[in-house]
Amino acid sequence: MSRILAYLRTSINSQDLNAQKVEVWEYAQRQNLSIDNYISISISSRKSRRARRIEELLSQLNSGDTLIVTELSRLGRSTGEVIDIIDGLVKRDVRVISIKQNLTFSKELDDIQSLAMLTLLSLFAEMERMMISKRTKEALAVRKQLGVQLGKPVGTIQASIYDKDRNRIIRLLADGVSARKISKNHLGYGSSSSLDYYIRTRKLRDLSPKKG
């Protein structure tokens, strides 16, 4: 049995979420529809898809279902991401409705306006990617001309999850405990391979006080 889901997102507060919910509910009443589930969250669009509950939303939608949003921008952090989500849903035979834009996207798309909008959005997404790429390249070129070293200096060691237990690891190595046992029996996190890499790159065995 097909279902109708609504996705609500705001980066401001719950008051805006309530306003979106009312807008969706009023639209559903006008169209004689019944919303089966609301997925809502207050979070910045810059967060990951999982954090924005997009992955959860996509997992709940099946062929024949309908997704309603107040506006397309609620779905993604960029035009490209919005297009990817809509395209993926339409291919799965999920209908997508955007209330403010008065657009419906589906496999049986016969609305010229919606088709034109989807085409334009795809074009804008490509332009957006090209502009970001161009700005990045120009910025890197300017930094290079100014003599700024690009990338991390050779030999730079990044922060690690093991840093907080560095001294403890050194003591255990001095006692002859292997990386595998330190990881499994003493730390309780990470893996023997990542810990061994941490020990080697920081030469912790050389820092361990010798017994005897």
Side-chain angles (χ1 to χ4, degrees):
M1 183 177 178
S2 60
R3 300 189 308 150
I4 300 177
L5 277 68
Y7 176 73
L8 320 172
R9 183 191 62 77
T10 177
S11 56
I12 305 174
N13 53 45
S14 58
Q15 185 175 356
D16 191 32
L17 277 181
N18 290 333
Q20 288 182 47
K21 190 169 185 177
V22 170
E23 186 174 356
V24 171
W25 183 85
E26 290 178 344
Y27 172 84
Q29 291 297 301
R30 293 195 301 271
Q31 301 298 321
N32 195 28
L33 301 173
S34 177
I35 308 298
D36 293 290
N37 189 24
Y38 290 87
I39 294 181
S40 58
I41 188 168
S42 294
I43 194 171
S44 168
S45 63
R46 296 184 179 183
K47 297 298 182 180
S48 68
R49 285 167 61 135
R50 182 177 295 276
R52 287 181 281 128
R53 301 185 70 183
I54 293 296
E55 299 296 342
E56 176 186 347
L57 171 69
L58 298 180
S59 69
Q60 291 191 28
L61 289 165
N62 299 306
S63 176
D65 288 346
T66 297
L67 169 63
I68 300 178
V69 292
T70 55
E71 54 186 303
L72 296 178
S73 61
R74 303 297 177 183
L75 285 172
R77 70 183 77 186
S78 66
T79 306
E81 185 179 24
V82 172
I83 288 297
D84 287 341
I85 292 173
I86 293 176
D87 186 57
L89 289 173
V90 170
K91 287 179 179 177
R92 290 166 50 193
D93 197 22
V94 175
R95 183 174 58 158
V96 181
I97 297 174
S98 174
I99 299 174
K100 279 188 170 63
Q101 286 92 0
N102 191 29
L103 295 171
T104 299
F105 303 99
S106 70
K107 272 190 173 182
E108 293 75 30
L109 195 63
D110 55 5
D111 184 346
I112 297 299
Q113 181 185 3
S114 297
L115 181 59
M117 179 60 72
L118 186 58
T119 302
L120 284 173
L121 286 174
S122 298
L123 176 60
F124 291 152
E126 182 59 29
M127 290 174 60
E128 186 177 51
R129 285 192 289 268
M130 291 174 64
M131 291 172 65
I132 291 173
S133 176
K134 183 178 180 180
R135 287 197 299 267
T136 301
K137 289 178 181 178
E138 289 176 346
L140 290 175
V142 170
R143 293 183 65 187
K144 189 174 182 180
Q145 289 177 356
L146 294 174
V148 178
Q149 183 176 0
L150 302 180
K152 294 184 178 179
V154 177
T156 299
I157 297 178
Q158 296 180 337
S160 169
I161 59 174
Y162 299 111
D163 286 341
K164 65 181 184 296
D165 287 310
R166 176 187 173 93
N167 293 333
R168 184 183 179 192
I169 293 170
I170 292 174
R171 290 197 301 271
L172 289 168
L173 289 172
D175 291 336
V177 183
S178 67
R180 183 180 64 81
K181 289 186 177 180
I182 292 176
S183 174
K184 181 178 179 181
N185 301 334
H186 296 273
L187 300 182
Y189 64 87
S191 66
S192 58
S193 59
S194 64
L195 177 58
D196 185 64
Y197 176 80
Y198 177 80
I199 293 170
R200 285 188 290 103
T201 55
R202 289 154 178 79
K203 298 181 172 57
L204 297 190
R205 286 191 173 86
D206 297 336
L207 299 177
S208 301
K210 305 301 179 184
K211 294 289 184 178

